[in-house]
Amino acid sequence: MPEADLGTRHQFHGVQPVLPVADAARAARYFRDVLGFEIDFIAGEPPSYARVKKGDDRRHGDPVYIRLWQCTDAPATGDAWRGEIVIHVGHDVDGLHDAYARRGVTIVEPLVSQPWGLREFAIREPDGHVLRFCGYT
């Protein structure tokens, strides 16, 4: 009988992407104050690493965690300095889009209904990472 793959054997679950940022504390505050996340922790003195989260209510899926890693020697531009994360929204993706627009968030792709059944839009946060928010139509 074949051996189970490592992902099954070790019960891989959840993903916590790590985004390189210029200032971990500033990035965590942006995610909290503008994008609606909670600061889970800010580590280091001075701060160099942080994690933000949203959700603990399992009725709406697993919580979302994003780790923010301060890279002071990384260039401010270039493909290696950016990332993209897709975040599934369980309720009112249109309302979220409107709220971000009112807060002055940089929307790089407008709200659109995709042929595969998702309604989505994309924003760019101050360190250049793209966050794509989507929900089922």
Side-chain angles (χ1 to χ4, degrees), residues 24-25 28 39-51 67-70:
I39 295 176
D40 194 31
F41 67 79
I42 298 176
E45 189 54 50
S48 61
Y49 201 75
R51 185 170 75 182
R67 294 173 183 256
L68 306 165
W69 171 46
Q70 187 165 307

Side-chain angles (χ1 to χ4, degrees), residues 1 15-16 50 63 66 70 72 84 102 107 110 114-115 118 125 129:
M1 174 168 227
V15 174
Q16 294 187 21
I66 301 171
Q70 187 165 307
T72 55
E84 179 170 328
R102 284 191 305 274
I107 297 172
Q114 299 291 7
L118 290 176
E125 57 84 55
H129 305 290

Side-chain angles (χ1 to χ4, degrees), residues 44-60:
E45 189 54 50
S48 61
Y49 201 75
R51 185 170 75 182
V52 295
K53 71 174 188 167
K54 191 60 188 175
D56 282 326
D57 185 349
R58 298 296 242 188
R59 292 176 299 158
H60 301 292

Side-chain angles (χ1 to χ4, degrees), residues 35-110:
L35 300 181
F37 285 78
E38 303 163 28
I39 295 176
D40 194 31
F41 67 79
I42 298 176
E45 189 54 50
S48 61
Y49 201 75
R51 185 170 75 182
V52 295
K53 71 174 188 167
K54 191 60 188 175
D56 282 326
D57 185 349
R58 298 296 242 188
R59 292 176 299 158
H60 301 292
D62 292 331
V64 173
Y65 291 95
I66 301 171
R67 294 173 183 256
L68 306 165
W69 171 46
Q70 187 165 307
C71 300
T72 55
D73 58 347
T77 61
D79 291 338
W81 181 237
R82 291 179 170 70
E84 179 170 328
I85 300 171
V86 175
I87 299 172
H88 287 265
V89 177
H91 175 71
D92 193 15
V93 71
D94 291 57
L96 179 64
H97 173 273
D98 295 346
Y100 283 171
R102 284 191 305 274
R103 292 180 178 195
V105 172
T106 302
I107 297 172
V108 295
E109 292 183 21

